[in-house]
């Protein structure tokens, strides 16, 4: 996403309104947990504050990530606010600003550690093991349960 900074110079505008759809190349997906990402909508503004450029707004989209249990690709919609102070080295010839990398860094921070759409755990079992819910772990006989009680006595 390229912002034309000449709008600050040519007019008395103190801010530039942003409303664009950004398509990320496959090269961005290479080193991330994201399997696929649909075009992302960016709405916000860019304004000058002293000698810095501040970009803020909302990023919305949908990514595909791996389900933590079934290992299938699942859709994960996201929407979040962001605010970035742009370094001088991102400004190209003082006329344009490419914030694609900045947007991508913010999106990568939104990837959940674990996400699942599995509701029926019965099919996830094998010889001597099965996947259980949190409630089932509380109801089972825990060999360390007595240690927890002893710890509370001190």
């Amino acid at each position: 996403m390229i912002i034309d900074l000449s709008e600050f110079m040519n007019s008395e505008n103190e801010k530039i309104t942003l409303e664009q759809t950004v398509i990320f190349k496959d090269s961005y997906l290479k080193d991330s947990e994201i399997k696929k990402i649909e075009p992302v909508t960016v709405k916000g503004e860019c304004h000058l504050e002293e000698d810095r450029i501040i970009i803020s707004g909302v990023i919305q989209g949908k990514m595909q990530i791996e389900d933590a249990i079934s290992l299938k690709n699942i859709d994960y919609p996201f929407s979040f606010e962001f605010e970035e102070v742009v370094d001088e080295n991102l400004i190209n010839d003082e006329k344009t600003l490419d914030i694609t990398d900045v947007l991508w860094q913010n999106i990568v921070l939104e990837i959940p550690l674990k996400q699942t759409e599995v509701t029926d755990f019965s099919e996830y079992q094998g010889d001597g093991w099965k996947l259980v819910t949190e409630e089932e772990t509380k109801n089972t006989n825990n060999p360390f349960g007595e240690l927890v009680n002893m710890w509370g006595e001190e």
Side-chain angles (χ1 to χ4, degrees):
M1 179 175 176
I2 296 178
I3 300 172
D4 184 11
L5 298 177
S6 64
E7 292 183 35
F8 285 133
M9 318 304 182
N10 296 338
S11 66
E12 296 179 10
N13 289 343
E14 294 181 7
K15 66 179 180 177
I16 299 172
T17 303
L18 306 174
E19 189 167 340
Q20 280 188 312
T21 300
V22 180
I23 299 173
F24 290 98
K25 298 178 184 175
D26 290 340
S27 60
Y28 282 96
L29 303 175
K30 184 178 175 186
D31 294 326
S32 75
E33 298 294 320
I34 300 173
K35 305 300 180 194
K36 182 180 174 185
I37 189 164
E38 294 183 6
V40 174
T41 304
V42 179
K43 295 180 182 179
E45 67 180 32
C46 175
H47 65 274
L48 291 173
E49 187 174 292
E50 297 173 5
D51 291 335
R52 303 178 306 175
I53 298 174
I54 299 177
I55 304 164
S56 59
V58 176
I59 300 175
Q60 294 179 326
K62 189 180 347 180
M63 65 177 86
Q64 279 191 353
I65 57 175
E66 191 173 74
D67 188 293
I69 295 175
S70 70
L71 303 179
K72 296 177 183 175
N73 288 347
I74 58 171
D75 289 334
Y76 181 76
F78 60 90
S79 178
F80 61 92
E81 294 180 2
F82 73 100
E83 181 174 293
E84 290 289 331
V85 177
V86 178
D87 296 330
E88 290 180 25
N89 60 355
L90 293 178
I91 301 172
N92 302 330
D93 300 328
E94 304 285 331
K95 295 180 184 172
T96 61
L97 174 66
D98 187 0
I99 63 166
T100 307
D101 289 339
V102 173
L103 297 174
W104 181 252
Q105 291 168 3
N106 280 281
I107 290 170
V108 168
L109 291 175
E110 292 297 312
I111 300 172
L113 294 176
K114 291 183 181 180
Q115 182 73 16
T116 185
E117 292 182 347
V118 174
T119 55
D120 181 18
F121 297 106
S122 63
E123 64 183 74
Y124 298 99
Q125 59 186 353
D127 187 20
W129 70 272
K130 70 175 184 174
L131 192 61
V132 295
T133 63
E134 285 289 327
E135 292 79 30
E136 291 174 325
T137 59
K138 293 177 185 174
N139 296 334
T140 59
N141 189 9
N142 184 352
F144 299 108
E146 291 182 30
L147 292 175
V148 172
N149 294 337
M150 291 173 58
W151 186 279
E153 292 175 2
E154 292 182 19

